[in-house]
Amino acid sequence: MFKKIGMLAILTIILVITLGCTQKDPCFSFKEQTDSDNCFVERAIEMNNSSGCAKAEQQSFKDMCEAEIAVKNLELESCNKIEDQSRKDFCISSVSSALYLDENCDSLSTSYWKDICYKSIAINISRNELCAKLSVSDEWNDC
């Protein structure tokens, strides 16, 4: 009797483990890679888990995911993992603005992101001298 119960318990455990290991991630169920990547990214952002970004196959989705999580968590070092320069600039500008780190603004590759970075910090902490670093003089009035 005990042998039958023991065997039944072992078979139940094996069945549970097998089913648990073979359940497919729902993000793989999409036909289009873009939809799967979007699923992975949305879940990673929702769970605030940047390692989930790596599940996306397309680099643009990985970069978008890394940027969103880095900005959300104000993690400047995570911005440097981003390959796409425009997304990297967005990330560095956003995090630097939120942390008032104007020394990072000049490292941005375009005047667009530099201006956003400097202007945001200047306005938020009343550092008017940063307005002089804006590339477009029309923006100075708003700064």
Side-chain angles (χ1 to χ4, degrees), residues 36-95:
S36 290
D37 286 353
N38 191 51
C39 178
F40 289 126
V41 166
E42 285 181 2
R43 186 171 52 205
I45 292 170
E46 182 180 312
M47 297 175 78
N48 200 27
N49 179 5
S50 63
S51 64
C53 300
K55 291 183 178 180
E57 285 189 20
Q58 299 172 70
Q59 190 61 45
S60 61
F61 280 88
K62 290 178 185 180
D63 287 344
M64 175 180 57
C65 185
E66 288 285 349
E68 290 295 325
I69 293 173
V71 170
K72 186 179 192 180
N73 296 318
L74 300 176
E75 294 175 344
L76 193 57
E77 64 279 355
S78 295
C79 297
N80 292 319
K81 297 178 186 175
I82 300 168
E83 290 183 19
D84 179 73
Q85 190 61 51
S86 181
R87 284 205 197 278
K88 182 184 263 188
D89 283 352
F90 156 77
C91 187
I92 292 170
S93 176
S94 298
V95 173

Side-chain angles (χ1 to χ4, degrees), residues 1-130:
M1 179 73 165
F2 288 113
K3 278 187 173 183
K4 287 182 182 180
I5 293 174
M7 283 299 265
L8 184 59
I10 290 172
L11 287 174
T12 303
I13 291 170
I14 291 172
L15 181 63
V16 168
I17 291 172
T18 303
L19 287 175
C21 293
T22 59
Q23 285 185 347
K24 195 172 184 182
D25 188 318
C27 291
F28 286 117
S29 66
F30 294 100
K31 291 180 182 179
E32 298 293 324
Q33 186 59 50
T34 301
D35 294 329
S36 290
D37 286 353
N38 191 51
C39 178
F40 289 126
V41 166
E42 285 181 2
R43 186 171 52 205
I45 292 170
E46 182 180 312
M47 297 175 78
N48 200 27
N49 179 5
S50 63
S51 64
C53 300
K55 291 183 178 180
E57 285 189 20
Q58 299 172 70
Q59 190 61 45
S60 61
F61 280 88
K62 290 178 185 180
D63 287 344
M64 175 180 57
C65 185
E66 288 285 349
E68 290 295 325
I69 293 173
V71 170
K72 186 179 192 180
N73 296 318
L74 300 176
E75 294 175 344
L76 193 57
E77 64 279 355
S78 295
C79 297
N80 292 319
K81 297 178 186 175
I82 300 168
E83 290 183 19
D84 179 73
Q85 190 61 51
S86 181
R87 284 205 197 278
K88 182 184 263 188
D89 283 352
F90 156 77
C91 187
I92 292 170
S93 176
S94 298
V95 173
S96 296
S97 295
L99 297 175
Y100 312 125
L101 300 172
D102 62 281
E103 62 271 15
N104 295 323
C105 298
D106 202 45
S107 70
L108 300 167
S109 67
T110 65
S111 59
Y112 174 80
W113 287 113
K114 286 180 187 181
D115 286 354
I116 288 174
C117 187
Y118 281 126
K119 186 175 178 181
S120 176
I121 295 170
I123 290 170
N124 285 320
I125 60 171
S126 300
R127 292 216 22 227
N128 296 335
E129 72 276 9
L130 294 177

